[in-house]
């Protein structure tokens, strides 16, 4: 066996069971008996060796190369798609004849090709389940012969800090499988870049994790302790992997055939370290308890908690005054305690309120109120084209497509509407703010001053809460003109209603739109 | 103001007369050019050997021929140098109108408002009247010393600012030293643009008068240097470097403007007409500060919008879209969906421009400052609800406090209040600008966004917890910064004076500080009373701060207010 690099750790010794053999050597019958026993031992031994030989296959044999051809929509022109991109990643076989990988490896896939270790044959795979908040996905392969002689990798536990791990995958820079080795540097909650607005448990390692490693296993003692998934350019020797608690949560979630996601407490909890604040809340200065600072619009949380409640314990975890819990020897954000539950499950929480302890059972749910503020996948962007005006819901994906600095005059109102108004004036917040993303030039709209990035306030006197309101307001208008008003300064544009009716079909044909809407 | 006679630049010496003080003849002009002795030691004002042929005619043709020969030789010798000498001569005239203004001023670090640095700036001033030097107002705020120098070299004289208007970005400087004014001559203002587009920019540099060519580009309405007001400005292209400090823009021996900024080759100047109208009104005591149009409008580019508003005929005018609350008590006369057709007799086109007789097509904002001042009435012909009507719009006075986030608070030290290490400051644009040249992109988004919001009666201004100076008293809050304060001890906070008052009324021995609703920290609590006092004293000592607060009067800078 090669002794180079990380191979050493991959050496898999066959396990052998001790077999107690009794020997009777005092007679011929005994010798026959011995022979029989020995024969039995030999058979057992061969079976065990055979088993051991099956398990002796190196784990890399279960590491899969994934090639995705993806095409994501154009949020600025939502009926269109961007050019097809080719992406490479990694995955590994898990129980149930499935492949686990990252969600970002297979998002917007038009085709997924998977290859076995040193096997030239390409197989076509499909996404079976995907969790964009945790950046995990499970693939199936129609041709089940793909899984022949492939052993699923077992999941291990959360690795200890300073312990050694090995990554296995197909990073850029070559065609063959690649291995890197490092130690576990840190374990805490960090932002998962794929979705952009969620923080989940993450392990940092100095094992090199490069583009293409995504989705590949991170191994310790031949067990999967994580899925490699992201890095930070500014940091040297720092890669990140998704640890098994997150993987297990994901697998349990999809066991019912549907993926829900990671629930959240629904409250902003902050450190309670200042002695004066603790004193005011009649709380001992003992480094226990973090404070509820504000609540998200989650009914169950709003019913159960109040600002200035102090969280003392969540489930089995005491909450420290800095807002952390101790999880398997690691100080991590207390938010993790609520993420271990499945959507809709209750977490027992001990709180401090008005100078007294209280125990409550708090159901926690996946929060979707800020969906538009993160990256969105899977569902194609909604739109409605009328008179060449392209109406679409405001989203971070749209803003990202348009580019520019948030403080640019053309962007600032949109960023404020998406990221700040829901917190500052929740009662005035629209369920789904709508923008005029662009204007498909035609004679009917030739004189419009507003040509894009316009946040829609009213259409024909109707306040717009969601895209359907735009459709309704325009299609039921009986006046000669359609009037669209924009924020923040209430400038407005008018269209001749009868002219638009004639122009719509012409515009669709000119710009190659099959339909004027995707709702 | 005393105006010189016509000074024709660029004209050669050949047989042309210069009217300097209405008396100079050809020879005197030659003598004055530069003390040049190349022409036989001609003295200033002296009669040269080659004097006028008419005086020597009685001696006959020989002398006449000699005179003519002198003239011819003189002309030939000087011909290639005509233009250069003309410029040099012209420059020498401007040497008597342009001075250097040096300003030493206090410079504040808005993220450490108790800390004062000094800054020294050199600008250009132009003599425009009797004992009056015109320059830009920029960097004259918080001045500690103003000095003047003429001729680009020699002794400095202490100066005084007699009048300053920050929104207009203009200032008048003088000195009581009568000797300083000897030899200085007021320059004349011009109007409009140069006939051939040729301009010059002049300033003292390293002891010499530097004059650089500039080419007129256009007049346009732009946001002013020191305010959000928009008025006409002159753009010119020049290769001069580092201009924008009050240099006169000259054409045909008159000032067409003073340069207030430079970006690449583009120099932006405050036009002479604008300046002169203010100075004239000031002299007549009719100037009450700059006014502006406080409403929002959109160009009437869309015929469908005009048709909906039932405006017949050719598309014209602009559409009012938003009429915020006025900063004064005047009842608003405009409504959303009014179409403004004419202001002060000037028709508005669908782009919002009017045709100015001096400047050409300009945006309507300039009509708030075209011979009009704050408090003046402006007649508007509008279209409302399908009918024409006339309204009288009273120009509100521009004050920096009209905005929720004031542009600046000039001539006063930055306000702040420190309580137990918590540092509170009013939110000003100058605070945001401490993030550097790209502050609009680098300063916190939410703070920047307040610039888009209007002040209200309930919330006329904003106070920030700008930072926390670490101390055991405020442990747990050391990382907090740039949080807008909503309430303290249950009391709404708009100004530092509100905060100071609220801190006098703790709640059960604690200060409860609530921040504006948002996705950041909502509340902190600290101890009141002796613990707070001790902590404040500790912080002041540890961080070298002399006083725990500085609360000036509300920052209302009255435009055009005489300094003395």
């Amino acid at each position: 066996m090669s002794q180079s690099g990380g191979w050493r750790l991959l050496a898999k010794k066959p396990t052998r069971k001790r077999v107690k053999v009794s020997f009777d050597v005092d007679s011929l019958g005994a010798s026959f008996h011995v022979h029989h026993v020995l024969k039995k031992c030999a058979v057992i031994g061969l079976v065990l060796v055979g088993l051991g030989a099956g398990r002796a296959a190196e784990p890399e044999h279960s590491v899969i190369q994934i090639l995705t051809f993806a095409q994501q929509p154009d949020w600025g022109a939502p009926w269109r798609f961007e050019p097809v991109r080719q992406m490479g990643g990694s995955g590994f076989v898990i129980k149930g004849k499935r492949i686990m990988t990252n969600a970002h490896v297979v998002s917007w896939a038009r085709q997924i090709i998977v290859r076995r270790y040193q096997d030239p044959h390409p197989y076509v795979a499909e996404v079976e389940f995907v969790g964009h908040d945790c950046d995990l996905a499970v693939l199936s392969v129609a041709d089940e012969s793909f899984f022949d002689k492939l052993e699923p990798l077992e999941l291990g536990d959360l690795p200890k800090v300073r312990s050694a791990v090995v990554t296995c995958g197909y990073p850029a820079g070559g065609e063959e499988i690649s291995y890197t080795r490092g130690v576990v540097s840190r374990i805490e909650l960090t932002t998962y870049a794929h979705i952009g607005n969620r923080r989940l448990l993450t392990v940092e390692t100095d094992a090199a994790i490069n583009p293409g490693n995504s989705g590949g296993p991170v191994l310790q003692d031949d067990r999967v302790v994580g899925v490699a998934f992201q890095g930070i350019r500014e940091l040297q020797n720092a890669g990140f992997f998704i640890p098994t608690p997150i993987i297990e949560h994901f697998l349990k979630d999809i066991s019912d055939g549907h993926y829900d996601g990671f629930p959240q407490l629904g409250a902003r909890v902050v450190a309670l370290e200042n002695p004066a604040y603790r004193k005011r809340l009649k709380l001992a200065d003992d480094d226990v308890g973090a404070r509820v600072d504000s609540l998200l619009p989650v009914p169950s949380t709003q019913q159960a908690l109040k600002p200035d409640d102090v969280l003392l314990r969540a489930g089995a975890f005491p909450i420290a005054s800095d807002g952390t819990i101790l999880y398997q020897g690691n100080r991590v954000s207390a938010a993790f305690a609520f993420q271990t539950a499945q959507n809709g499950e209750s977490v027992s929480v001990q709180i401090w309120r008005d100078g007294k302890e209280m125990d409550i059972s708090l159901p926690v749910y996946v929060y979707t109120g800020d969906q538009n503020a993160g990256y969105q996948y899977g569902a194609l962007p909604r739109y409605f084209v009328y008179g060449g005006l392209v109406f679409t819901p405001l989203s971070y994906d749209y803003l990202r497509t348009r580019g520019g600095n948030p403080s640019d005059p053309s962007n600032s109102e949109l960023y404020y509407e998406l990221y700040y108004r829901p917190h500052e004036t929740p009662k005035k917040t629209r369920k789904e703010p709508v923008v005029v993303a662009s204007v498909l030039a035609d004679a009917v709209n030739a004189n419009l001053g507003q040509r894009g990035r316009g946040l829609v306030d009213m259409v024909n006197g109707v306040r717009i809460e969601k895209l359907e309101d735009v459709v309704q307001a325009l299609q039921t208008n009986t006046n000669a003109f359609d009037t669209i008003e924009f924020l923040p300064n209430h400038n407005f544009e008018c269209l001749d209603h009868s002219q638009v009716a004639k122009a719509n079909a012409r515009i669709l044909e000119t710009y190659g739109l099959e339909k004027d809407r995707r709702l | 103001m005393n105006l010189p006679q016509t000074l024709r630049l660029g004209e050669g010496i050949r047989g042309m007369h210069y009217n300097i003080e209405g008396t100079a003849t050809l020879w005197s002009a030659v003598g004055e050019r530069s003390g040049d002795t190349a022409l036989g030691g001609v003295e200033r004002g002296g009669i040269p050997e080659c004097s006028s042929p008419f005086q020597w005619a009685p001696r006959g043709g020989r002398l006449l021929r000699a005179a003519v020969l002198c003239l011819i030789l003189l002309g030939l010798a000087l011909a290639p140098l005509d233009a250069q000498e003309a410029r040099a001569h012209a420059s020498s005239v401007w040497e008597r109108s342009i001075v250097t203004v040096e300003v030493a001023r206090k410079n504040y670090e808005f993220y450490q408002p108790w800390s004062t640095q000094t800054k020294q700036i050199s600008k250009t001033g132009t003599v425009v009247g009797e004992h009056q030097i015109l320059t830009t107002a920029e960097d004259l705020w918080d001045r500690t010393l103003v000095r003047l120098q003429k001729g680009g070299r020699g002794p400095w004289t202490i100066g005084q600012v007699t009048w300053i208007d920050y929104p207009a970005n203009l200032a008048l400087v003088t000195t009581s030293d009568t000797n300083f004014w000897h030899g200085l001559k007021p320059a004349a203002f011009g109007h409009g643009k140069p006939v051939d587009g040729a301009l010059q920019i002049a300033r003292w540099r390293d002891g010499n008068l530097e004059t650089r060519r500039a080419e007129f580009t256009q007049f346009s309405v732009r946001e002013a240097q020191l305010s959000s007001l928009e008025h006409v400005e002159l753009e010119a292209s020049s290769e001069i470097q580092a201009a924008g400090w009050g240099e006169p823009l000259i054409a045909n021996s008159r000032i067409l403007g003073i340069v207030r900024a430079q970006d690449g080759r583009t120099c932006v100047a405050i036009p002479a007409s604008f300046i002169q109208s203010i100075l004239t009104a000031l002299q007549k005591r009719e100037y009450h500060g700059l006014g502006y149009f406080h409403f929002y409008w959109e160009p009437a580019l869309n015929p469908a919008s005009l048709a909906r508003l039932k405006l017949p005929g050719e598309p014209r005018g602009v559409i009012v879209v938003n009429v915020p609350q006025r900063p004064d008590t005047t009842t608003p006369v405009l409504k959303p969906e009014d179409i403004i057709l004419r202001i002060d007799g000037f028709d508005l086109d669908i782009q919002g421009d009017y045709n100015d007789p001096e400047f050409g097509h300009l945006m309507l904002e300039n009509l708030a400052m075209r011979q009009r001042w704050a408090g003046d009435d402006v007649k508007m012909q509008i279209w409302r609800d399908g009918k024409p009507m006339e309204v009288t719009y009273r120009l509100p006075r521009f004050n920096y406090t009209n905005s929720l986030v004031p542009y600046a608070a000039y001539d006063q030290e930055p306000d702040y209040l420190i309580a137990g290490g918590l540092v509170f400051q009013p939110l000003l644009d100058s605070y945001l600008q401490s993030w550097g040249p790209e502050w609009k992109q680098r300063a916190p988004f939410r703070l920047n966004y307040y610039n888009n919001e209007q002040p209200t009666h309930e919330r006329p201004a904003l106070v920030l917890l700008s930072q926390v100076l670490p101390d055991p008293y405020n442990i747990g809050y050391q990382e907090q910064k740039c949080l807008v304060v909503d309430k303290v001890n249950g009391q709404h906070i708009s100004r530092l004076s509100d905060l100071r008052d609220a801190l006098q009324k703790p709640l059960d021995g604690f200060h409860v500080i609530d921040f504006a609703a948002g996705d950041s920290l909502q509340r902190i609590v600290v101890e009141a009373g002796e613990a707070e006092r001790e902590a404040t004293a500790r912080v002041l000592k540890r961080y070298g701060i002399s006083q725990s607060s500085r609360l000036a009067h509300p920052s209302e800078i009255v435009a055009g207010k005489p300094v003395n």
Side-chain angles (χ1 to χ4, degrees):
Chain A
M1 178 175 294
S2 169
Q3 294 298 306
S4 64
W7 280 86
R8 189 189 298 274
L9 285 178
L10 293 178
K12 187 170 182 181
K13 297 176 186 174
T15 56
R16 295 169 195 258
K17 286 188 179 176
R18 283 187 181 277
V19 178
K20 190 172 181 183
V21 178
S22 62
F23 292 93
D24 187 354
V25 297
D26 293 333
S27 65
L28 284 176
S31 68
F32 172 79
H33 176 73
V34 167
H35 175 74
H36 179 72
V37 167
L38 283 173
K39 187 178 174 185
K40 206 186 252 184
C41 289
V43 169
I44 293 170
L46 280 171
V47 168
L48 290 173
V49 167
L51 284 171
R55 221 172 260 179
E58 292 83 356
E60 66 268 22
H61 289 191
S62 299
V63 179
I64 307 301
Q65 185 181 29
I66 301 176
L67 202 59
T68 303
F69 295 88
Q71 192 180 35
Q72 67 177 39
D74 179 350
W75 275 272
W79 58 91
R80 289 185 61 249
F81 290 89
E82 293 190 1
V84 176
R85 292 185 304 131
Q86 181 179 324
M87 295 188 297
S90 311
F92 56 97
V93 176
I94 60 172
K95 285 179 189 167
K97 293 188 179 177
R98 295 180 298 185
I99 299 168
M100 171 158 278
T101 184
N102 281 145
H104 74 260
V105 172
V106 294
S107 292
W108 302 114
R110 294 292 196 199
Q111 184 185 67
I112 305 171
I113 300 292
V114 292
R115 288 184 198 275
R116 295 153 50 104
Y117 175 73
Q118 294 185 343
D119 182 346
H121 184 75
Y123 293 81
V124 176
E126 299 284 337
V127 175
E128 196 176 343
F129 294 100
V130 66
H132 293 294
D133 57 350
C134 61
D135 199 3
L136 290 171
V138 161
L139 313 181
S140 60
V141 183
D143 184 352
E144 287 204 351
S145 69
F146 175 86
F147 294 99
D148 289 350
K149 296 180 185 172
L150 286 189
E151 293 292 329
L153 296 181
E154 299 286 335
L155 295 182
D157 298 320
L158 184 71
K160 294 200 181 318
V161 177
R162 284 187 285 127
S163 63
V165 293
V166 171
T167 74
C168 215
Y170 291 86
E175 298 294 328
E176 296 301 314
I177 196 165
S178 163
Y179 312 87
T180 63
R181 176 183 169 172
V183 298
V184 172
S185 307
R186 188 159 43 185
I187 299 174
E188 57 186 13
L189 270 64
T190 60
T191 301
Y192 276 39
H194 177 62
I195 196 165
N197 60 352
R198 287 293 180 269
R199 290 165 55 86
L200 296 174
L201 193 68
T202 311
V203 179
E204 181 182 330
T205 175
D206 65 350
I209 292 179
N210 289 303
N213 273 122
S214 290
V218 179
L219 300 166
Q220 188 176 80
D221 296 331
D222 296 335
R223 289 175 178 265
V224 175
V225 294
V227 175
F229 80 127
Q230 65 188 32
I232 298 178
R233 243 182 244 116
E234 293 80 15
L235 294 184
Q236 293 182 2
N237 298 333
F240 300 86
F241 59 88
I242 303 169
T244 43
I246 301 297
I247 300 171
E248 286 167 343
H249 186 286
F250 172 75
L251 291 174
K252 186 176 177 187
D253 191 333
I254 63 176
S255 62
D256 63 357
H258 173 73
Y259 180 70
D260 297 303
F262 282 75
Q264 290 188 281
L265 169 62
R268 180 187 168 87
V269 176
V270 300
L272 186 59
E273 296 169 319
N274 188 277
Y277 213 145
R278 296 184 72 87
K279 188 175 168 185
R280 184 166 188 267
L281 296 176
K282 302 184 181 66
L283 204 55
D285 197 8
D286 58 2
D287 297 325
V288 175
R291 188 180 63 85
V292 174
D293 188 55
S294 60
L295 301 176
L296 292 177
V298 177
S300 56
T301 305
Q302 288 179 326
Q303 283 171 13
L305 295 177
K306 294 196 291 190
D308 270 358
D309 281 348
V310 180
L311 304 186
L312 300 175
R313 183 179 49 78
F317 302 106
I319 298 177
S321 59
D322 62 353
T324 63
I325 59 172
L326 199 59
Y327 175 68
Q328 295 189 22
N330 305 289
R331 275 265 158 226
V332 300
S333 167
F336 177 71
F338 300 94
Q339 293 166 356
T340 55
Q342 293 289 332
N343 185 44
E345 285 182 357
S346 290
V347 178
S348 71
V349 182
Q350 188 179 64
I351 66 171
W352 182 265
R353 180 186 292 169
D354 298 329
K356 292 192 293 284
E357 279 184 13
M358 289 173 62
D359 288 305
I360 60 173
S361 181
L362 178 63
V364 289
Y365 298 94
V366 175
Y367 181 61
T368 58
D370 60 349
Q371 208 169 336
N372 281 0
Y375 294 104
Q376 298 180 84
Y377 300 94
L380 295 175
R382 284 145 45 80
Y383 70 89
F384 175 59
V385 178
Y386 181 85
L389 274 68
V390 180
F391 296 90
T392 192
L394 176 64
S395 66
Y396 178 63
D397 286 309
Y398 168 73
L399 291 173
R400 182 175 54 85
T401 304
R402 296 290 90 177
N405 187 282
S407 289
D408 290 345
S410 58
N411 278 338
S412 61
E413 191 65 24
L414 304 182
Y415 274 91
Y416 178 77
E417 183 73 26
L418 196 59
Y419 290 103
Y420 293 89
R421 197 186 301 284
H423 299 284
E424 295 183 11
T425 49
K427 291 181 182 170
K428 292 184 186 175
T429 300
R430 297 158 204 264
K431 184 181 165 191
E432 182 184 60
V434 173
V435 292
V436 168
S438 58
V439 177
L440 303 175
D442 182 86
V444 78
N445 59 47
N447 293 304
L448 264 60
Q450 185 78 47
R451 306 301 295 186
R453 302 196 210 203
L455 183 62
V456 179
D457 183 23
M458 315 253 275
V459 174
N460 294 332
V462 174
R463 179 181 149 98
I464 299 304
E465 299 283 346
K466 54 189 185 304
L467 186 60
E468 283 77 0
D469 294 340
V470 175
V471 178
Q472 175 83 358
L474 289 169
Q475 293 191 327
T476 59
N477 179 34
T478 55
N479 294 327
F481 296 96
D482 292 306
T483 304
I484 301 114
E485 293 177 51
F486 299 94
L487 290 172
N489 290 321
H490 305 284
N491 57 307
F492 63 89
E493 297 289 354
C494 293
L495 295 169
D496 186 313
H497 190 76
S498 60
Q499 293 296 320
V500 171
K502 296 174 195 169
N504 277 336
R506 181 176 69 227
I507 291 169
L508 294 183
E509 187 182 345
T510 301
Y511 291 94
L513 275 75
E514 200 178 315
K515 291 184 181 174
D516 67 344
R517 67 193 71 186
R518 182 193 293 132
L519 301 178
Chain B
M1 300 171 193
N2 293 328
L3 301 177
Q5 299 295 314
T6 302
L7 184 70
R8 284 174 283 181
L9 294 171
E11 291 176 346
I13 294 179
R14 279 175 294 181
M16 302 298 284
H17 282 274
Y18 292 80
N19 281 329
I20 298 176
E21 298 177 2
T23 58
T25 64
L26 169 66
W27 308 113
S28 296
V30 168
E32 285 177 25
R33 187 174 63 247
S34 59
D36 189 356
T37 57
L39 298 176
V42 173
E43 295 178 359
R44 181 184 292 269
I47 307 296
E49 200 169 337
C50 303
S51 55
S52 167
F54 305 104
Q55 290 185 4
W56 293 87
R59 288 216 181 165
R62 186 170 47 137
L63 286 173
L64 176 61
R65 283 197 295 277
V68 169
L69 184 60
C70 282
L71 282 170
I72 292 169
L73 289 174
L74 185 63
L76 287 172
L78 299 178
L81 303 174
D82 276 354
Q84 187 176 344
E85 287 182 354
R87 281 196 293 276
H89 183 79
S91 296
S92 71
V93 175
W94 283 101
E95 287 174 2
R96 299 191 293 165
S97 297
I98 297 173
V99 300
T100 305
V101 181
E102 183 190 83
V103 182
R105 69 170 183 84
K106 290 188 266 191
N107 192 31
Y108 301 109
E109 295 180 55
F110 280 88
Y111 48 90
Q112 290 195 103
W114 49 84
S115 170
T116 305
Q117 296 173 324
T118 57
K119 188 176 177 183
Q120 193 158 303
I121 304 102
S122 185
K123 296 159 67 82
T124 300
T126 308
V127 180
V128 293
E130 188 174 351
H131 296 187
Q132 278 188 337
I133 296 166
L134 173 73
T135 187
T136 55
E138 189 171 6
D139 276 303
L140 275 170
W141 51 77
D142 305 308
R143 57 194 172 273
T144 53
L145 182 68
V146 176
R147 299 201 301 169
L148 304 171
Q149 184 189 53
K150 63 181 179 180
R153 61 183 67 248
W156 289 87
T157 304
I158 303 290
Q160 298 87 34
V161 175
T162 56
W163 173 83
I164 193 161
D165 186 327
Y166 292 112
N169 193 15
L170 296 171
L172 290 175
V173 183
T174 192
T175 176
S176 54
D177 180 353
T178 52
N179 289 328
F180 180 81
W181 301 103
H182 291 162
L184 290 181
K185 300 292 173 193
F189 285 108
H191 298 279
K193 63 181 181 182
V195 173
D196 57 359
L199 296 160
Q200 285 188 308
I201 300 175
R203 63 183 176 189
W204 288 106
R205 191 172 178 182
D206 298 330
N208 295 301
L209 190 72
E210 177 188 18
T211 54
R212 291 294 200 108
R213 287 184 61 176
E215 195 173 336
F216 171 82
T217 308
Q218 61 174 347
F219 287 111
S220 64
V221 172
R222 287 169 157 253
E223 191 170 295
Q225 183 83 4
L226 303 180
S227 73
S228 57
L229 290 176
E230 293 175 295
H231 61 78
V232 62
E233 293 195 310
L234 187 157
E235 282 179 37
S237 176
S238 175
E239 288 187 354
I240 195 168
Q241 302 282 314
W245 296 100
E247 302 87 357
L249 199 61
I250 300 161
N252 301 323
S253 69
R254 291 180 180 267
I255 305 173
L256 288 195
I258 55 172
V259 183
R260 63 98 168 156
Q262 181 177 17
D263 182 11
R265 284 179 57 102
T266 302
C267 295
V268 181
I270 307 170
S273 297
F274 179 77
I275 299 169
Q276 198 172 19
S277 63
I278 291 177
L279 297 181
T280 302
L282 192 65
Q283 213 169 23
K284 295 179 183 175
R285 298 183 187 278
E286 292 173 358
Y287 182 69
H288 307 295
L290 295 179
Y292 66 107
F293 295 131
H294 84 294
F295 54 87
Y296 292 86
W297 55 271
E298 66 177 18
L301 297 169
N302 188 349
S305 298
L306 295 177
R308 178 177 152 261
L309 297 174
K310 301 187 181 69
L311 180 72
E314 285 296 308
R316 59 199 186 282
V318 299
I319 303 173
V320 177
V321 295
N322 189 10
V323 186
Q325 190 179 331
R326 281 182 68 106
D328 53 21
T329 55
T330 307
T331 305
V333 297
L334 292 172
K335 295 182 185 177
E337 297 195 353
D338 283 349
I339 305 174
I340 304 176
L341 302 172
R342 195 175 300 137
I343 298 177
D344 245 358
F346 289 100
D347 291 331
L348 302 182
D349 65 22
I350 57 173
Q351 288 169 291
D353 290 350
Y354 74 99
N355 196 358
D356 192 285
E358 182 178 352
F359 302 117
H361 286 97
L362 292 179
M363 194 165 60
L364 68 90
E365 306 295 342
N366 193 63
L367 287 169
M369 279 160 270
R370 187 181 186 279
Q371 309 290 342
R372 291 272 182 261
W373 317 119
D376 287 352
D377 287 338
V378 172
K379 296 286 184 200
M380 293 186 178
Q381 274 73 48
I382 69 169
W383 185 266
R384 178 184 292 170
D385 298 331
K387 293 191 293 289
M389 57 187 291
E390 185 175 281
V391 298
T392 301
Y393 181 91
R394 179 155 295 172
L395 292 169
R397 186 173 65 191
F398 178 84
N399 276 323
Y400 289 108
T401 52
N402 288 355
S403 305
L404 183 62
V405 184
Y407 186 87
Y410 293 125
D411 295 329
Q412 64 181 65
E413 294 172 304
D415 291 352
Y416 66 92
L417 189 153
I418 299 175
L422 307 176
V423 181
F424 299 94
Q425 296 174 247
L427 179 58
L428 303 175
D429 250 2
S430 41
Y431 173 81
L432 297 175
Q433 289 170 26
S434 61
W435 262 267
E438 310 223 320
W439 62 273
K440 287 189 179 177
Q441 285 75 39
R442 298 182 59 196
F445 172 86
R446 184 61 185 95
L447 296 188
N448 256 328
Y449 185 80
Y450 280 114
N451 271 310
N452 297 352
E453 298 181 41
Q454 301 291 328
T456 62
H457 183 71
E458 295 76 27
R459 191 180 68 170
L462 298 167
V463 171
L464 282 185
L465 172 68
S466 59
Q467 60 179 302
V468 177
L469 300 173
D471 181 84
Y473 173 82
N474 56 49
I475 200 159
Y477 307 138
Q478 307 92 299
E479 294 175 9
Q480 301 306 327
K481 56 185 173 185
C482 300
L483 297 173
V484 173
V485 179
D486 181 31
K487 293 183 196 172
V488 172
N489 298 333
Q491 189 178 327
H492 275 293
I493 305 298
S494 290
R495 302 193 191 280
L496 282 185
S497 52
D498 300 333
L499 179 71
R500 177 196 56 202
D501 296 341
L503 290 174
Q504 304 300 317
K505 301 168 192 165
L507 299 177
D508 299 323
F510 298 99
H511 292 311
V512 179
I513 301 166
D514 291 312
F515 301 107
D519 69 341
S520 53
L521 184 67
Q522 296 297 282
R523 174 180 281 184
I524 61 174
V525 169
V526 288
E527 252 188 287
E530 194 58 33
E532 176 200 345
R533 284 188 288 275
E534 287 175 359
T536 301
R538 222 165 32 233
V539 163
L540 294 183
K541 186 176 177 186
R542 179 177 299 131
Y543 294 94
I545 303 168
S546 59
Q547 55 190 94
S548 64
S549 66
R550 187 192 294 137
L551 272 71
H553 294 297
S555 51
E556 181 177 356
I557 306 301
V558 178
K561 186 178 177 183
V563 173
N564 298 322

